[in-house]
Structure formats: structure tokens, C-alpha cells
Amino acid sequence: MNYWEDPGPGYGVLPPRAAVRSDAPRLSLNGQWRFRWMPSVPPAGFEAPDFDDSDWDWLPVPSSWPMHGHGSPAYTNQKYPFPVDPPYVPDENPTGDHRLAFELPASWSGPTVLRFDGVDSCARVWLNGVELGVTRGSRLPAEFAVGDVLRPGRNVLAVRVHQWSSGSYLEDQDMWWLPGIFRDVMLISRPVDADVFVYADYVDGSGVLRVESAPGAIVRILELDVEAPSGRTVAIPGVEPWSAEVPRLYDAVVELPGERVALRIGFRTVEIADGVLRVNGRRIVFHGVNRHEHDPVFGRAVPLERLREELLVMKRHNINAIRTSHYPPDSRLLELCDELGFWVMDECDYESHGFFLLDWRGNPADDPRFLDASLDRMRRTVERDKNHPCVVMWSLGNEAGVGSNLTAMAAWTRDRDPSRPVHYEGDLTCADVDVYSRMYASHAEVEAIGKRAEKPLDDPVLDARRRAMPFVLCEYSHAGGNGPGGLPEYEELFDRFERCQGGFLWEWMEHGILRADGSYSYGGDFGEELHDGTYVLDGLVFPDLTPQPVLAEVHKVYEPVRLTIADDVLTITNRYDVLDTSHLSFHWDLADEGVVVDRGTLDVPVIPSGESATIKLPALPAQNPERWLTVRAVLTQDCAWAGAGHELTFTQALVPLPPARLRGEPRRLPVSSPHTGPGTGKLRGERPTLGGGCAVGPGVFDARTGRLVGLWGWEVEHVPLELWRAPTQHDARTWDATTLDRKTRWANAGLDRLRYRTVGVEQTSDGLVVTTMVGAAATDARVLTTYRWRSDGERLMAEVDVEPLGEWTVPWARLGVTFGLPGGLHTMTWFGLGPGQAYPDSRSAARVGRYTRTIDDLQVPYLYPQENGARGDVRWAELSGAAGKLRLTGDPHVALTVRRWTTADLAAAEHPADLHPGDRVWLTLDALQHGLGSPTSGAPILPPHDLQPHKHTFKFSLGS
């Protein structure tokens, strides 16, 4: 058997130990290495120190070699990109040979280890022609003893890396396959081969510390006046506990013979008590994300500054937890999580998802040949990361089915570190774990679990054990493009049921790969034999860490303080796990039709975590029927992750008019429009007859079809009824393989190919009545649409009645109307929800106000083009530019999308570069829209947002 196909963990590797910072001499071997890529395994010989590699390429290390033009990236979610025949892989096994000649300093001496922090997927290592061993387990470190092999002066390190190995069967995570030496490589001089294990609990207001290390080691914490030998338990009164909200760390030193190890210790106790996961005695809630390791330029070799920026963006959006899906991250990330404050579920590099497609036949998780490799991966995870206070839970892996190897991993973990609970979602009996975990449970299922009324297991003992566990959604609300919807409803369940302790959204980042033209590639763009397309575009941020619209929704839903207004009383609920509100200030402003007319600061008492307070609001009488009060909670001072004034949350309330005012005609305050003033008067021109059309006020209509063809001298295109949208990524997905996705169902029903038959055009004394039958080929499902047009001379007003006829078996994507307007329009100002997009089930972050954006800025550049950019609850909007001005008014509200391409163009595009502005601006006015949902996760669209066909009437007006 070839060494890369041996199912074991490898050979020659030293026992795993904690990743620590120390003053031991180190020599970084990062940099430019000689590199040769071959499509299959070449003969040996390159490892000889005198081998001539002068004609080889140069490759940076760390790196993922496909990101540098050697081979190509490949993306799959479940499918193995090779025949499933464990532990064997094909002869076509891309192999990268690496060579580095380096000089050893003359001062170097003593025992030395060579450390690789990450190599994907299998590496064989030689130093000066001497084989050191083989390592598998890509996202885990491997150390080799090299003290007897090093030479003074010139040394040659040779590493052969195989893309495929037996380890690949355990690394079928939902991500790009990117082989290479992608983390740091270094030499470390270690006079004592010692590990360090920190036990730092917080009990009854005191720290309890024990550090296990080499005999004779001394632990010192100057700030706490602590000095103790290794192995001794020390009680330290007055210690401040560590938490994700108050990440208090104490600098410590472990002095070993010839080496000082620096530690940052956080005192905290993790326990499950009364069926609830607690840290330092308090229930915690995971407002978390699943995070893959990815950089759009460097692949799996993620720079330190990007790691920090990722966490800063998370903190600024109220994210407090990370699941390291589905492998241990760069250890520097955990150092940052200790420092900035995150709850971390640290997951083993273990997934065999492709066997799901084979009904789990031959699954390595239950194959004795893979036992040692399975245990090795768990050991290396725990030993590397055991000293991080941020790690509050170990996870055995992800989507690896069930089996004896997982049972063995759980038993070893619990024995080695009983201070943290063990997680694994794949076994619903929870036989080997301490928390009940599900992915993509619907709202209804989460509610049942919260009541401890979930469907019972067949085994009553296991059922009782599971029913007593805390519950976590290790994955929920699958992101990807425009969506998901339904986040507030999940959050309400976390608030209502003590057992439901939050979860981790899927997922943090889009995994697009940057192209030379600035766009991004996804699955299939590299000619992969098998791929899963846009499924890799499933994050809350774009690949460059720019927030997607959904991240604003997450920020609002994950709010650590909840504000509600009823009458003249503000209720403030502190949802922090630990913190009180002393670090926050509360500000209010009052706006009439979106223009701020007054503002101030509220005097709020300090509110402990988990408690509420009510505040009497100042008298704010309404002078305008649309007077809105906004209250915001902001940081009072700068902190490690945001500056003073950073907003954590907000709420709004409409200030009612006094009863006396309601009885009469309301008086509006004079509110200026950004488009009034010299040179911005109404657009007027000769009203064209346009083929013998009939006129209603400023509008001209085709006498045969009744469609609007002219307005204030413009030529207009008019689509009388829209029932379809450019499908979102969620529209194109379904959880249940027996259920068709919305995109397919809408296509089968013909919503994207409607035809229009004019039933009647009737001129009346005050306008025009146009009746149109709308339907698609091959079905009798249709809609009778009736327009009643009239005008007051300045505005063209429409009342639209829709009535579904025939048998409708699908929901509608939208209910609206589209107008093609002159391309010279450039800017939209509106009064309604903003500043970003708002959809029926994803609008928590939107607030009522007055906003101005260019038409281009209204678009969301999703990496896979789809429905986007709708502004909801619009009272009025003005489009303006060189062509003039158009004012649109909803009665009372409409949703608007404005684009320089049609819905069909948007739906046909595969990348943003496929969208080309035309000579028209396309305005879609929606009375109703279907929710976004998250069908990928099995959560149905909740009833208020499921747009089933029904009679409806809506009104709007067009003016200048």
C-alpha cells in the first residue's frame, strides 16, 4: 500500500502539544520555496540535498498551490471528487514537490523540532536527505524531531505534498479543495520536550489555577502575585472572570529549564447545570456564525490582518460566537478570540459527508482501519487548543454519520478534558455528547425542543438523557445571496425557552475566488468535473469582508439590548450574558417625514444583564402624520473593536397625532425636498399621441392594449402585471429532495413567461378602465387585472385590482407592475424603509426615513445575480436626473426596485459582469412580495410571508 493511502495517521510525528508562545529560538522557514507540480505522483529522488531544482518554479510558503496557477481549485459540498474506494485514491493524484535550502545560524544548538501548522492533505518530509515521516490531518500541526539531522550552515528541506490521500476521506468539508503547505513552517529549539496544560476555573468569585507541565516548572502571574510549581492547585481571590463580553486575560509565564512559555489566562468555568449550558454560573446564548478559513486571493493561507478584521466585523455586528466549521482554525484566530471575546466551538478536522450519498456504506467513522487516524485528529485538536479560554466546547466533527470511531473520539476527549462539553450533531441519539444539537431545524421543531417535547427516541434511557440536555443549533438559517429570512422568529424562541441556547448561522463568508478583472469565481468556473456551483456563495459577508445586506439583519436580531416603545414609555431589556449597560448611551431623534426636527439623550439607569427598565419619554407631540421617534443604544467610549458612538441597536415608533388633530385636516410641517430650487421644475413637453392613444392627465395610453405608453412627454414601457422575480439562491434550493424548489415551480407555472390579453379598454368620465387577462402557456391559472386610471391634472393615479382565476398550485414571487423609463434618470430619493433593502421576512434592520441613493448604488452586487435592492414600505419616491423628475406615491405603501436592466436580464446573468445597463431605467412597483426564507435549511416560509395567490387591490400615483 502506498503511504498516502495508508488509513493510519502517518508516522514519525511527535506527540501533539499545545500551541504556545515562548522565548525558545525559532527560525521561520516561510518564504519562497522551489516548487514542481505534477498531475500524478512522480518518482522519488528530489529529496536528495544535491538535487538540481534550478528549473523549478518559485512558490510562496505558506500557500495553496492552485491559487498560484498550479492545478486549479475545485468546489464540492458533499461529493468526493474521486471514486469512493477508501482508503484508496486515483493514480491521477496531483502532487507538489517543495524544496527549501536554508542556513542554520551558527548559534543554533540542542534538541530541535520542525513544525508544520497545516499541510493539505498528505505530506512526506525529508531533511538533508533523511526521511522524517508522513503527516495527514490537514488543518492540524505536525512536529518532527530534527536535532540529529540538522547541520551547521546549509540545510535542505524537501516536502512532497499529495492532493489526495486516505485523509481526504475524513476531510470532505463543504469548501474548495486547495492543497498545499498553507500555514507556517518553522524550526524551534526546545531544550525540554514539555507540554503545558492550563486549568483556570472561576468558582465562587475566586480563580482556581493549576498548570501541568514539566517537573520543576514554575508558574508566575505578576498581576495576581502568584508563583506556584507545576501541578499545584492555587486559589486566587478577587480574580475577574473571562467571558465573551468581558474577555479579561492575565499574562502568565511558565518557566521551564531553558525556556519561558508566555500564556494569557482567562478564568472561567463551563458546566451544564439543570439542563442548561452555563459559563461562570450564567446561561449563555450563542449568537454565532460558522466560519470557514478562506481568503479570496490566497485560499487557505489567511493573513493575520485578515483574521483580525474578520473578528472586528463580527463584533461590530453583535456576533458573539464562532463554530470553527469544520476543522481547527489558524491558532492565531483563537488567540484573537481570547483577546476580543468570543464563545468558540472548536471542531475537529473530520467530515465524511460524501458517504451520505451512499447511504453511509463504508463510512470511515465506523471503519476500524480509520480508528487511529480518527483519534489522532481529535488528540491534535484538543492538545493544540486546550489553553484557550474562548474554547467552551469541543466538537468531534461534522456530517460524518455515526460509528465506533466517533464514540472513541468522544471518550478520549471527555477523559482528557472533562472541563468542556462534547458536541457532535450527526448522531441524533446524543449517545456520546453533552449537548443536543441540530442543524436547520424549523421554527416549529425548535419550539418543540424548547418545550422538551421533541419526538421521542426509541430507547427511553437515551431519550431521557437527551431531553435533559441543552439545545444548540450548530447550523441554521442558511445564508447565500439574498436571504435568509425568518431570523427574528428564531431569536424569539431563544428568548422564550431556556433550553434553546442559540446557534451558529451558516455561514460567515462567501468563498468566491478573486479573478484578475476584480470579479469572483464560484463552483464550476474552473472546469471541475463535479462541482456544487453557487453553494459556495453562502455567507454574510462578501469575500473581501464587505457586509452583505443580511448582516445588517443579523446585527439587529442579535442585539444585546432590546428597545421597545409603547405610548410614551421606553422599555430597555438587557440581553447580555454578563454585562450591565453602564458602557452604553441612549439617544433619541424625532423626524417629520424623514427630516430630523429634534434630538436628545435619555437618562437611563444601569441595567444588569437579564433585567429590564422602563423610561418615561419626553413629551413629543406630533405635528405631522408621519412623525417618527428613533431611539438608539450606542457605545459611550472607544473599545477594542469599535469606537465611541457605534450603534448596537435601535427602535422606532410612530408618534400619534393628538385626537383633536385627527378630527381635522392634518397640517404638514414645511419639509424641504432635495429636488426643489432653480432649474428643477417639472418636466413638461408636448404630449405625443403615440399611435392614436388616449390621454388621462399627463399619461398617454395605447388605445388597443390600454398600456401606459407616455408620461409627461416621455415614452414609457408598461408591464401590467409582474408575478415573477429573478430567482434568489434560496428560490433555487430545497432541503427535501422530493420537493421542487421555488425557482423550478415558478418556471413550471410560467411566471417568467406571462402573456397578456386585453379584455377591455373603456374611457370613462374621469379616466380609463383597462382590463387584462394574464396567464402562461399550457395552464389555466391566470389573473384578471383591472386598472382604473384617473388624474387630477398633476398626477396620474391608478387603482389596480387583481383576481386569480383557474387552479394555482404555486405561490407568486411578487405582485407588482413594471415601467420602463428614460435612461437619463440617475438618483432616487424616497421616504420609507432604508437605507438598505427590505423584504417581507428580512427587514428588522430597516428603519423609516428619508434616503437618497444613485440607481447604481441601489443594486446589491451579489456574486450570483438575483433579486435584490427592494426598498420596502415606500410612501413616496422621486427619480431624477438629466431626463427630469418623476414622483411616485404609494397608497399607503409600495415596495420599489429600480434597475438599469430587466428582470429577465438579471435572471439570465451568471456573474455581475454579465449585466449591462440599457437605455432605460426599469422601475418595479410591488404591492406584495414573497418572503426570502431559507429553504436550504428546511425552514419553510412562515405564513405571513408566503405569497399565496389571492384577490388584492393596490393604489399608486405617478407625478412630477
Side-chain angles (χ1 to χ4, degrees):
M1 177 180 288
N2 295 315
Y3 66 85
W4 58 87
E5 295 175 318
D6 188 306
Y11 56 86
V13 180
L14 293 171
R17 62 188 177 94
V20 296
R21 295 185 179 274
S22 80
D23 63 358
R26 293 179 179 232
L27 178 64
S28 173
L29 301 183
N30 296 347
Q32 293 293 322
W33 292 39
R34 285 293 190 177
F35 178 77
R36 176 184 67 182
W37 180 87
M38 300 292 283
S40 57
V41 182
F46 84 103
E47 68 275 11
D50 59 353
F51 181 86
D52 182 7
D53 59 16
S54 59
D55 63 342
W56 285 18
D57 294 325
W58 290 101
L59 181 74
V61 170
S63 67
S64 296
W65 75 55
M67 307 299 287
H68 297 266
H70 304 285
S72 61
Y75 166 63
T76 61
N77 170 28
Q78 292 178 312
K79 307 165 191 168
Y80 287 106
F82 47 78
V84 180
D85 182 21
Y88 304 103
V89 295
D91 294 339
E92 297 86 0
N93 187 359
T95 298
D97 288 336
H98 304 67
R99 283 175 54 89
L100 175 70
F102 64 92
E103 292 291 321
L104 189 70
S107 59
W108 197 278
S109 64
T112 301
V113 298
L114 170 65
R115 182 181 177 93
F116 294 85
D117 278 333
V119 185
D120 188 337
S121 75
C122 173
R124 189 178 186 185
V125 185
W126 295 264
L127 181 61
N128 297 324
V130 177
E131 183 182 4
L132 302 179
V134 169
T135 178
R136 283 180 285 274
S138 298
R139 265 64 65 175
L140 294 160
E143 291 184 334
F144 299 91
V146 296
D148 295 336
V149 185
L150 279 172
R151 302 170 180 170
R154 184 176 186 269
N155 290 262
V156 177
L157 177 60
V159 184
R160 171 162 285 181
V161 179
H162 304 284
Q163 178 159 2
W164 310 125
S165 69
S166 62
S168 301
Y169 286 101
L170 301 178
E171 296 175 4
D172 187 30
Q173 294 99 344
D174 176 6
M175 61 185 181
W176 294 100
W177 297 91
L178 292 173
I181 305 173
F182 65 93
R183 289 184 186 155
D184 290 339
V185 184
M186 70 189 74
L187 286 174
I188 309 172
S189 176
R190 303 205 70 220
V192 177
D193 183 17
D195 194 11
V196 177
F197 195 162
V198 175
Y199 299 86
D201 293 325
Y202 183 75
V203 181
D204 298 330
S206 296
V208 179
L209 177 68
R210 185 176 87 257
V211 177
E212 294 183 351
S213 189
I218 301 295
V219 183
R220 290 188 174 90
I221 307 176
L222 293 180
E223 185 178 355
L224 297 175
D225 195 26
V226 169
E227 181 175 318
S230 168
R232 177 181 294 176
T233 299
V234 181
I236 313 170
V239 163
E240 298 175 51
W242 185 96
S243 71
E245 294 166 4
V246 186
R248 182 66 162 96
L249 295 171
Y250 292 91
D251 291 320
V253 172
V254 179
E255 293 190 359
L256 301 161
E259 180 182 8
R260 289 164 55 91
V261 173
L263 300 169
R264 305 198 76 192
I265 294 177
F267 292 89
R268 56 104 188 96
T269 297
V270 184
E271 63 180 343
I272 295 174
D274 300 323
V276 175
L277 178 66
R278 304 179 192 273
V279 177
N280 301 330
R282 302 187 67 91
R283 172 184 182 257
I284 64 171
V285 177
F286 296 117
H287 290 129
V289 293
N290 284 272
R291 178 191 174 273
H292 264 296
E293 204 102 309
H294 178 74
D295 183 281
V297 176
F298 303 113
R300 225 173 300 293
V302 183
L304 176 60
E305 58 271 19
R306 180 179 171 93
L307 296 178
R308 177 177 285 274
E309 185 59 28
E310 286 186 59
L311 297 185
L312 292 178
V313 177
M314 289 183 196
K315 291 290 284 190
R316 292 167 190 152
H317 289 85
N318 297 328
I319 292 166
N320 73 357
I322 297 170
R323 178 186 182 214
T324 68
S325 55
H326 298 291
Y327 41 81
D330 188 317
S331 60
R332 298 173 300 177
L333 183 94
L334 297 181
E335 293 178 2
L336 293 170
C337 289
D338 289 340
E339 172 192 328
L340 294 171
F342 287 89
W343 309 119
V344 174
M345 179 192 288
D346 197 359
E347 194 148 85
C348 184
D349 188 5
Y350 200 85
E351 180 168 336
S352 57
H353 203 180
F355 287 89
F356 169 78
L357 303 175
L358 306 174
D359 295 326
W360 298 110
R361 293 189 307 274
N363 184 18
D366 201 35
D367 185 338
R369 294 177 299 171
F370 283 90
L371 173 61
D372 289 345
S374 301
L375 285 170
D376 174 72
R377 287 167 182 257
M378 199 67 213
R379 288 192 190 104
R380 288 158 72 188
T381 299
V382 172
E383 300 294 1
R384 192 197 73 164
D385 297 341
K386 61 198 173 192
N387 294 331
H388 290 285
C390 66
V391 177
V392 295
M393 197 181 305
W394 300 118
S395 179
L396 304 179
N398 181 69
E399 293 175 324
V402 296
S404 58
N405 295 341
L406 287 162
T407 299
M409 292 162 67
W412 180 90
T413 304
R414 194 172 283 109
D415 179 68
R416 177 60 172 151
D417 180 26
S419 71
R420 295 174 173 98
V422 175
H423 166 274
Y424 178 67
E425 185 271 345
D427 181 6
L428 294 181
T429 70
C430 297
D432 296 319
V433 298
D434 304 305
V435 296
Y436 181 22
S437 176
R438 290 278 289 109
M439 56 174 66
Y440 307 119
S442 68
H443 299 88
E445 183 180 355
V446 173
E447 181 172 17
I449 293 171
K451 295 175 179 177
R452 302 188 189 271
E454 64 267 29
K455 182 179 178 180
L457 296 171
D458 293 336
D459 185 323
V461 175
L462 284 175
D463 182 69
R465 182 175 179 273
R466 190 185 73 175
R467 207 172 294 276
M469 290 179 176
F471 175 72
V472 173
L473 281 163
C474 67
E475 295 179 23
Y476 78 111
S477 287
H478 198 289
N482 194 354
L487 292 179
E489 291 82 359
Y490 276 115
E491 194 67 15
E492 188 275 332
L493 295 169
F494 304 156
D495 286 343
R496 183 151 45 108
F497 298 108
E498 186 181 46
R499 184 190 191 188
C500 297
Q501 297 192 241
F504 302 85
L505 297 171
W506 186 268
E507 70 166 313
W508 169 238
M509 186 194 317
E510 306 265 77
H511 298 202
I513 292 177
L514 187 66
R515 294 169 156 181
D517 63 0
S519 63
Y520 292 95
S521 299
Y522 50 78
D525 284 343
F526 297 96
E528 301 101 304
E529 181 180 55
L530 293 175
H531 65 85
D532 286 294
T534 63
Y535 215 73
V536 78
L537 306 179
D538 52 8
L540 305 177
V541 296
F542 287 109
D544 65 356
L545 302 184
T546 299
Q548 300 212 57
V550 68
L551 192 56
E553 183 82 356
V554 170
H555 177 269
K556 183 65 174 73
V557 171
Y558 280 2
E559 59 193 359
V561 174
R562 180 163 295 152
L563 310 174
T564 54
I565 298 173
D567 299 323
D568 59 351
V569 174
L570 171 69
T571 300
I572 304 172
T573 301
N574 183 348
R575 304 176 70 234
Y576 280 110
D577 296 326
V578 175
L579 273 176
D580 62 29
T581 59
S582 58
H583 63 299
L584 301 180
S585 301
F586 297 84
H587 303 274
W588 61 269
D589 64 54
L590 201 63
D592 284 337
E593 211 166 294
V595 176
V596 175
V597 296
D598 200 0
R599 54 170 45 98
T601 301
L602 297 173
D603 185 13
V604 175
V606 174
I607 307 169
S609 62
E611 297 188 14
S612 299
T614 57
I615 306 297
K616 178 83 169 177
L617 292 168
L620 303 169
Q623 302 296 317
N624 184 299
E626 285 272 16
R627 168 167 281 192
W628 284 84
L629 172 66
T630 302
V631 180
R632 304 181 303 123
V634 304
L635 293 178
T636 303
Q637 297 178 334
D638 294 348
C639 70
W641 45 268
H646 170 77
E647 182 180 295
L648 280 83
T649 191
F650 75 96
T651 193
Q652 285 189 305
L654 180 65
V655 180
L657 285 167
R661 292 291 311 282
L662 289 173
R663 287 195 293 270
E665 182 67 23
R667 177 177 65 86
R668 291 181 179 269
L669 287 180
V671 178
S672 62
S673 167
H675 299 301
T676 58
T680 59
K682 300 171 183 175
L683 175 75
R684 294 190 181 276
E686 295 298 322
R687 299 181 186 172
T689 56
L690 298 178
C694 48
V696 177
V700 178
F701 296 82
D702 183 283
R704 182 179 60 84
T705 65
R707 296 196 191 190
L708 182 67
V709 294
L711 182 66
W712 288 121
W714 292 330
E715 290 189 7
V716 174
E717 291 190 40
H718 176 201
V719 181
L721 187 67
E722 294 271 26
L723 301 177
W724 182 68
R725 67 188 181 201
T728 68
Q729 286 168 245
H730 290 292
D731 292 337
R733 295 172 180 168
T734 181
W735 179 258
D736 183 352
T738 66
T739 303
L740 294 176
D741 57 77
R742 290 194 298 257
K743 177 182 178 181
T744 302
R745 295 174 67 204
W746 289 340
N748 291 345
L751 299 192
D752 58 337
R753 48 183 174 83
L754 298 177
R755 295 292 181 262
Y756 305 87
R757 176 175 64 84
T758 304
V759 176
V761 179
E762 178 185 358
Q763 191 94 38
T764 65
S765 59
D766 63 347
L768 193 68
V769 177
V770 180
T771 305
T772 305
M773 189 67 74
V774 182
T779 176
D780 68 348
R782 55 205 188 280
V783 182
L784 185 65
T785 306
T786 303
Y787 278 80
R788 293 175 176 84
W789 295 100
R790 59 189 180 85
S791 176
D792 60 5
E794 296 294 320
R795 297 176 299 158
L796 182 62
M797 296 167 284
E799 179 179 308
V800 186
D801 295 324
V802 296
E803 180 182 0
L805 303 173
E807 184 178 359
W808 282 95
T809 60
V810 300
W812 293 337
R814 69 180 350 133
L815 179 62
V817 55
T818 294
F819 297 102
L821 304 171
L825 298 172
H826 177 266
T827 301
M828 185 171 85
T829 295
W830 75 99
F831 176 49
L833 292 180
Q837 64 184 27
Y839 286 84
D841 56 350
S842 183
R843 57 173 48 202
S844 297
R847 60 190 84 185
V848 177
R850 181 184 296 206
Y851 307 97
T852 298
R853 297 289 188 274
T854 67
I855 291 174
D856 293 338
D857 287 342
L858 293 171
Q859 314 310 309
V860 180
Y862 289 119
L863 304 192
Y864 183 80
Q866 59 200 274
E867 165 63 36
N868 73 90
R871 267 55 184 181
D873 289 0
V874 174
R875 282 76 162 159
W876 58 258
E878 287 184 355
L879 290 168
S880 63
K885 182 178 71 175
L886 173 68
R887 184 177 177 97
L888 181 147
T889 304
D891 184 9
H893 305 151
V894 291
L896 296 181
T897 53
V898 187
R899 306 186 178 107
R900 297 196 179 278
W901 36 76
T902 66
T903 299
D905 292 336
L906 185 60
E910 295 186 349
H911 293 89
D914 298 333
L915 294 168
H916 304 287
D919 59 359
R920 287 193 174 276
V921 166
W922 297 93
L923 167 68
T924 298
L925 178 159
D926 284 319
L928 301 169
Q929 264 225 19
H930 196 277
L932 301 173
S934 183
T936 309
S937 62
I941 299 267
L942 297 175
H945 316 305
D946 184 10
L947 180 51
Q948 294 297 324
H950 65 280
K951 286 185 178 182
H952 190 72
T953 298
F954 60 98
K955 302 176 184 179
F956 63 91
S957 67
L958 305 171
S960 62

